[in-house]
Amino acid sequence: MHYLSPEFGLVFVGFLWLYWWLGSARGVRAQNLLLLVASYLFYCSFDWRFAFLLLNFSLVILALAQAVQGHNGNRRRWPVIAGVVLALVNLGIFKYYNFFREESLALLTPLFNGASLPVLEFVLPVGISFYTFQGLAYLISVGRGECKPAKLFDGLLHLSFFPTLLAGPICRPNELLTQIQSPDERKIAAPEVAILLIISALIKKVWLSAWLAEEWVNPVFANPDAYHSLELLCGLMAYAWQLFFDFSGYTDVVTALALLLGFSLPVNFRQPYLATSLSDFWRRWHITLSRWIRDYVYISLGGNRASWGRTQMNLLIAMVLSGFWHGASATFIVWGLWHGLGLIAQNCWQKITSFTLPDAITQWLTFAFVCFGWLLFRAEDWESVTTYVAGFSRWDTLPSLNWMGLLAAMVVFFMLARRAEPMMEKSAAALRVLPWWGQALALVASALLIMELAPAGMPGFIYFGF
């Protein structure tokens, strides 16, 4: 069920009434139990087997966290290590088995004639990468003594909370679990902000992302041989913005849902295409994943505590693993390698010179580097990558798409990105003076207008596949 679909909206409104009525009548514990049931029913709407897998994963992680609490010294490490291994094996089987099978056969066949490995058909459970990382963050936090093991129902809800279940944000225990455990009465702190975030999500996902996909991204990537080099360049930029609108739109709507339930979620995007360097980009893009990779991979490898050369190697490994997390494909690994080498090149430049370029130039250089990396992210295989790149030399045909109009739209996107925060604050102030029915009317009117302007259909969120 799509978060922005009318069906989900109707069900959520009814659920929201029951949730707040139950809170006033029975308190926070009753609300948590309702949330837990609703989260598993929501997950079952995709496939009941997914819910069974999530429950088993959660019970193992919670049991190992309890085992950590019962030990001292180095013995606290073993339940954590066991949990990390089991979680990664579980993720690897569902997400990476066929990739490793194909790569292994490619290596073994020339050496052993008739080599074979069993074929296992798996349906990738939606959200498995996200709840795996959230579960590992919880277990590691318990192992480090940063939090105590959660009670059963609290821990189950932390790992299945339906606004964050499918594609994050990846919450640490002190960001979500502490709110679940708090006995204080919940309140909707800023309903006007929630309304604006829902409107923002509709604009980004239903209108802009869908328009870019329909008019530019899907046609150009489906047949790059048919397009002029300028159109291919515009197609890459269109995909960069489509991906941002899609994922940040998802983040907006789940943040709004959480606010309406009395929870606050960590920020996941801070206008990444305004970044002035690659390191700045990764402090702005998919922030909760970036810090997970930093804290649990990069720092665990030694971070910057070793020599400068070893630090660069740790950075490269962390980025390659980040790429592999996104998908079981060589193109994702090279995408991680692309960003890792880019970060190393940036660090080398800073090490050998103090010369700096103006921010306007570094912003466009960073955006161009990121855009080319998105080609590896979007392409289905190496043949698609090479075909697309070869098209950049195609100047002997006339463009058939309105590339000047798209470039103008890109400029507008950048201008709006710079003004997004003050525009949101002014809009929230305007909504705040309206009564609740006026705010609801503004939301309904905005949604109808956006639906009218947007292309037909309700495409799924891109990051649900990771």
Side-chain angles (χ1 to χ4, degrees):
M1 190 182 296
H2 200 300
Y3 283 121
L4 291 174
S5 67
E7 296 81 6
F8 180 88
L10 290 173
V11 172
F12 183 75
V13 168
F15 169 78
L16 199 62
W17 177 86
L18 177 60
Y19 174 81
W20 287 111
W21 174 85
L22 195 61
S24 62
R26 297 292 183 179
V28 170
R29 304 307 297 175
Q31 287 179 312
N32 284 350
L33 182 58
L34 178 64
L35 274 175
L36 179 60
V37 173
S39 295
Y40 271 88
L41 289 176
F42 173 70
Y43 205 37
C44 281
S45 69
F46 294 91
D47 192 319
W48 67 268
R49 294 170 296 179
F50 295 172
F52 181 73
L53 178 66
L54 172 62
L55 178 61
N56 283 337
F57 170 82
S58 300
L59 291 174
V60 170
I61 292 295
L62 295 173
L64 289 171
Q66 291 290 342
V68 169
Q69 188 74 359
H71 294 93
N72 296 314
N74 288 333
R75 296 184 66 185
R76 293 172 62 89
R77 298 172 52 198
W78 295 110
V80 176
I81 293 173
V84 170
V85 171
L86 290 173
L88 294 181
V89 167
N90 180 66
L91 181 63
I93 290 174
F94 283 95
K95 192 170 182 178
Y96 301 109
Y97 174 80
N98 288 325
F99 169 79
F100 283 119
R101 176 183 177 275
E102 293 173 4
E103 295 301 316
S104 298
L105 284 177
L107 293 174
L108 292 174
T109 301
L111 300 175
F112 303 98
N113 189 26
S116 64
L117 292 171
V119 177
L120 300 178
E121 295 294 335
F122 290 115
V123 177
L124 181 65
V126 62
I128 186 172
S129 298
F130 291 90
Y131 70 69
T132 297
F133 274 27
Q134 186 152 312
L136 290 178
Y138 162 73
L139 181 59
I140 294 170
S141 295
V142 173
R144 291 176 176 177
E146 297 170 355
C147 70
K148 294 182 179 180
K151 294 180 181 179
L152 178 61
F153 286 165
D154 291 344
L156 289 175
L157 178 56
H158 173 63
L159 297 180
S160 66
F161 186 55
F162 73 85
T164 63
L165 176 59
L166 302 184
I170 303 170
C171 299
R172 296 182 178 184
N174 65 343
E175 292 170 331
L176 179 59
L177 182 58
T178 53
Q179 295 182 75
I180 293 171
Q181 294 172 325
S182 174
D184 297 337
E185 180 183 357
R186 289 178 188 146
K187 298 179 181 179
I188 303 178
E192 69 281 355
V193 174
I195 289 173
L196 285 175
L197 286 171
I198 293 173
I199 294 173
S200 172
L202 287 168
I203 292 172
K204 289 177 178 178
K205 173 59 183 174
V206 179
W207 183 10
L208 296 177
S209 177
W211 171 71
L212 288 168
E214 183 176 290
E215 296 296 325
W216 278 92
V217 178
N218 294 341
V220 171
F221 275 88
N223 187 19
D225 286 332
Y227 293 98
H228 190 273
S229 58
L230 283 174
E231 294 171 311
L232 296 178
L233 179 62
C234 288
L236 265 185
M237 291 192 292
Y239 179 65
W241 282 101
Q242 180 206 357
L243 192 59
F244 168 72
F245 288 141
D246 188 280
F247 197 17
S248 67
Y250 159 84
T251 302
D252 287 347
V253 71
V254 299
T255 301
L257 296 178
L259 284 173
L260 293 173
L261 295 170
F263 293 87
S264 62
L265 298 180
V267 175
N268 216 21
F269 289 91
R270 287 194 180 96
Q271 300 302 336
Y273 294 147
L274 300 183
T276 56
S277 66
L278 274 184
S279 54
D280 188 28
F281 173 80
W282 284 108
R283 288 191 291 267
R284 295 166 175 263
W285 176 274
H286 203 346
I287 297 168
T288 57
L289 174 65
S290 298
R291 69 179 186 181
W292 199 100
I293 296 293
R294 179 197 66 198
D295 293 348
Y296 301 119
V297 178
Y298 173 70
I299 291 178
S300 297
L301 290 170
N304 59 3
R305 299 189 300 272
S307 65
W308 187 87
R310 177 58 186 272
T311 297
Q312 307 315 303
M313 181 57 65
N314 293 340
L315 183 61
L316 183 63
I317 293 172
M319 292 309 301
V320 169
L321 289 177
S322 174
F324 196 43
W325 174 88
H326 279 86
S329 169
T331 55
F332 284 110
I333 296 175
V334 177
W335 175 76
L337 184 65
W338 171 256
H339 276 273
L341 292 174
L343 287 166
I344 292 174
Q346 172 190 291
N347 293 341
C348 289
W349 174 264
Q350 293 172 348
K351 189 175 179 65
I352 64 177
T353 181
S354 59
F355 176 75
T356 57
L357 294 169
D359 285 350
I361 295 177
T362 56
Q363 281 181 357
W364 280 103
L365 289 175
T366 302
F367 180 65
F369 185 94
V370 170
C371 277
F372 191 81
W374 289 139
L375 171 58
L376 298 163
F377 201 85
R378 175 63 170 75
E380 296 180 358
D381 48 40
W382 275 114
E383 183 180 357
S384 301
V385 174
T386 56
T387 300
Y388 204 103
V389 172
F392 286 130
S393 62
R394 190 177 302 113
W395 296 88
D396 56 348
T397 60
L398 292 177
S400 58
L401 299 177
N402 184 14
W403 61 271
M404 293 184 67
L406 183 67
L407 290 179
M410 297 293 113
V411 173
V412 173
F413 293 162
F414 276 108
M415 292 174 63
L416 290 177
R418 296 178 188 281
R419 298 291 301 161
E421 188 172 338
M423 288 170 58
M424 181 71 78
E425 292 174 355
K426 291 180 180 179
S427 300
L431 276 178
R432 199 172 295 122
V433 302
L434 297 177
W436 69 267
W437 56 267
Q439 295 178 353
L441 185 61
L443 173 59
V444 172
S446 299
L448 291 175
L449 177 61
I450 294 165
M451 294 292 186
E452 183 66 25
L453 293 172
M458 183 68 70
F461 288 101
I462 295 174
Y463 259 75
F464 282 7
F466 299 125

